Amino acid sequence: MKVVLNGRGGKVGRVLAPALERAGHEIVEELSGAEAMVDFTGPEVVEGNVRAALEAGVVCVVGTTGWEPARLDALARERGVALFVAPNFAVGAVLMMRFAAEAARHMPRAEIVELHAETKRDAPSGTAKATAALLPGEPPIHSVRLPGLVAHQEVLLGGEGQLLTIRHDTTSREAFVPGVLLALERLPELPPGLTLGLDELL
């Protein structure tokens, strides 16, 4: 597949570019020659990038957080193309969210702690907000931004005399590659419009 990769020079993009090529995809520079666009940029530019791709009839896989993809759902439907957005492309992180939702059925008191590199621009993270949406009530989210971190999250569920901790640690950005490749593979099966979350593909 011919892919425009926005954010190629970023932390995720530097890992993703060679992985895409190893998987048989071709990275191209212009939307006019692309079959798909992958975006790992920043919240200040992602919406413009996605809008341009949708206007060109190019399907999108987006890992950038800190924006509202629902605003472009109608445009994607109008253009008849898929817009796939995931707050986290690490399969283990998606499983952590799924396990937390199951546990919260029995232990509804929960809090979320998410830890990321100090360069991450949005807080709380998209993964933490997506996790909170799966849990009852409005669980508090605690955000930590420090050097030495990549992406980490734990969900603490408390009950009388017990504490259950469900944690996922991303120690390198290679963790996102299988999820992005899966999304590209499944794009032809997705309906026009917005599909949100890697969980939809697992």
Side-chain angles (χ1 to χ4, degrees), residues 19 25-27 30 32 53 65 72 75 79 82 91 106 120-121 130 134 140 152 155 182:
H25 299 289
E26 178 186 350
I27 296 178
E30 302 294 333
S32 59
T65 59
L72 296 182
L75 176 60
R79 297 293 179 176
V91 173
H106 309 282
K120 184 167 179 60
R121 300 175 198 176
L134 297 173
H152 316 264
V155 182
L182 175 64

Side-chain angles (χ1 to χ4, degrees), residues 66-202:
W67 68 297
E68 296 297 331
R71 289 197 291 252
L72 296 182
D73 180 43
L75 176 60
R77 291 175 188 274
E78 177 188 312
R79 297 293 179 176
V81 294
L83 167 58
F84 180 80
V85 180
N88 199 313
F89 278 87
V91 173
V94 175
L95 293 174
M96 173 264 301
M97 294 165 63
R98 185 180 289 180
F99 299 156
E102 172 65 21
R105 293 175 52 216
H106 309 282
M107 300 177 71
R109 292 284 304 280
E111 300 204 9
I112 299 166
V113 181
E114 56 95 355
L115 310 93
H116 284 82
E118 61 185 350
T119 53
K120 184 167 179 60
R121 300 175 198 176
D122 55 319
S125 69
T127 301
K129 289 191 284 190
T131 305
L134 297 173
L135 305 181
E138 296 183 2
I141 301 173
H142 309 275
S143 298
V144 177
R145 298 290 178 268
L146 287 171
L149 297 170
V150 178
H152 316 264
Q153 180 173 297
E154 56 185 25
V155 182
L156 296 94
L157 300 107
E160 291 297 325
Q162 60 180 326
L163 175 70
L164 172 62
T165 301
I166 302 172
R167 180 176 174 115
H168 178 261
D169 294 287
T170 300
T171 55
S172 81
R173 289 164 182 87
E174 280 83 357
F176 305 134
V177 170
V180 174
L181 294 177
L182 175 64
L184 286 170
E185 178 187 331
R186 299 286 297 279
L187 274 175
E189 305 168 23
L190 297 180
L194 175 64
T195 299
L196 190 61
L198 194 63
D199 193 53
E200 294 294 321
L201 306 183
L202 297 179

Side-chain angles (χ1 to χ4, degrees), residues 21-92:
E21 291 174 334
R22 284 194 301 272
H25 299 289
E26 178 186 350
I27 296 178
V28 298
E29 299 300 323
E30 302 294 333
L31 286 170
S32 59
E35 299 168 273
M37 183 203 75
V38 175
D39 192 286
F40 280 85
T41 55
E44 71 283 357
V45 297
V46 60
E47 187 167 338
N49 292 341
V50 174
R51 185 177 296 276
L54 295 177
E55 292 281 5
V58 175
V59 294
C60 302
V61 172
V62 183
T64 308
T65 59
W67 68 297
E68 296 297 331
R71 289 197 291 252
L72 296 182
D73 180 43
L75 176 60
R77 291 175 188 274
E78 177 188 312
R79 297 293 179 176
V81 294
L83 167 58
F84 180 80
V85 180
N88 199 313
F89 278 87
V91 173

